Amino acid sequence: AQKITQTQPGMFVQEKEAVTLDCTYDTSDQSYGLFWYKQPSSGEMIFLIYQGSYDEQNATEGRYSLNFQKARKSANLVISASQLGDSAMYFCAMREFNYGQNFVFGPGTRLSVLP
Amino acid sequence: GAGVSQTPSNKVTEKGKYVELRCDPISGHTALYWYRQSLGQGPEFLIYFQGTGAADDSGLPNDRFFAVRPEGSVSTLKIQRTERGDSAVYLCASSLQGAGEAFFGQGTRLTVV
């Protein structure tokens, strides 16, 4: 079964606007972490932000914030004030701390920032 | 360097040949992961090491794929009798046990001709 779903294969956003990238997940583990990674065309995987399942506050890191809705099992990434350099693939990932601790990735969303 | 190092960065091999891909994780990271990524797709899990042992090898596609981590640091992914369908970028990542994000290497682009 698909553990991470990203329903937006591609997204466009105007420079300086905010954009939300969707991620839903499936787990029966009570202890897990949710991660977002950015992969530019150069291929490197860049860690952006982390949310723990027990964290009550939504995570924020600079222009990135994670909209965590535990009951809905969603962990959407919000990028504020988009920049041209934000154009990349974005992957949502989950780590189940009681079930093997592996990182499972979604299929990704390609974000294109328009000037 | 302080990051995850993968060698070679590119490997071209003939169908049927044997290849080894190397990963040198961040010092002190006990967890090490191998992923395979095809163009336009997310990383596909292959195997996860905790220390020297494979904690989860359920992602290895068949018995042509094997990985080792004999001293709990450097890992080698071995592919026997390579096939054209094995062509992909092979990513290695490491993390602390039980916490934290995974840090990725730059990957090895394997092309089987």
Side-chain angles (χ1 to χ4, degrees), chain A residues 32-36 47 49-60 66-68 75 97:
Chain A
Y32 54 90
L34 297 157
F35 304 79
W36 278 91
F47 166 72
I49 195 167
Y50 166 78
Q51 179 86 40
S53 58
Y54 292 117
D55 295 341
E56 295 188 354
Q57 301 279 346
N58 284 345
T60 60
L66 200 152
N67 183 1
F68 181 46
F97 294 119

Side-chain angles (χ1 to χ4, degrees), chain B residues 11-99:
Chain B
K11 177 72 177 178
V12 180
T13 190
E14 292 181 348
K15 179 175 176 295
K17 298 290 189 184
Y18 167 82
V19 295
E20 289 189 352
L21 312 179
R22 176 188 167 105
C23 174
D24 199 342
I26 292 172
S27 178
H29 281 189
T30 57
L32 185 146
Y33 311 82
W34 283 101
Y35 292 85
R36 178 168 69 175
Q37 187 176 28
S38 299
L39 192 63
Q41 298 183 17
E44 173 195 11
F45 168 72
L46 296 177
I47 187 168
Y48 157 52
F49 285 92
Q50 187 56 248
T52 60
D56 183 353
D57 64 358
S58 62
L60 294 177
N62 51 60
D63 61 6
R64 295 188 297 106
F65 288 75
F66 189 71
V68 295
R69 194 185 185 199
E71 297 178 356
S73 55
V74 171
S75 175
T76 305
L77 178 65
K78 308 180 181 196
I79 310 174
Q80 298 177 324
R81 305 183 304 280
T82 50
E83 300 177 357
R84 293 197 178 89
D86 299 334
S87 296
V89 175
Y90 289 81
L91 294 168
C92 176
S94 70
S95 75
L96 293 170
Q97 152 75 16

Side-chain angles (χ1 to χ4, degrees), chain A residues 4 6 23 25 32-38 45-53 59 66 68 75-77 90-97 101-106, chain B residues 33 95-96 98-104:
Chain A
I4 300 286
Q6 294 180 255
C23 172
Y25 59 93
Y32 54 90
L34 297 157
F35 304 79
W36 278 91
Y37 284 84
K38 172 184 178 181
M45 291 284 280
I46 303 167
F47 166 72
L48 296 177
I49 195 167
Y50 166 78
Q51 179 86 40
S53 58
L66 200 152
F68 181 46
N76 299 339
L77 176 70
Y90 288 81
F91 294 101
C92 180
M94 177 175 64
R95 188 181 192 186
E96 295 168 306
F97 294 119
Q101 298 212 26
N102 181 21
F103 286 82
V104 177
F105 285 80
Chain B
Y33 311 82
S95 75
L96 293 170
E101 69 271 29
F103 294 84
F104 282 81

Side-chain angles (χ1 to χ4, degrees), chain A residues 19-36:
Chain A
V19 63
T20 298
L21 306 184
D22 294 343
C23 172
T24 58
Y25 59 93
D26 182 28
T27 181
S28 53
D29 196 345
Q30 297 301 306
S31 179
Y32 54 90
L34 297 157
F35 304 79
W36 278 91

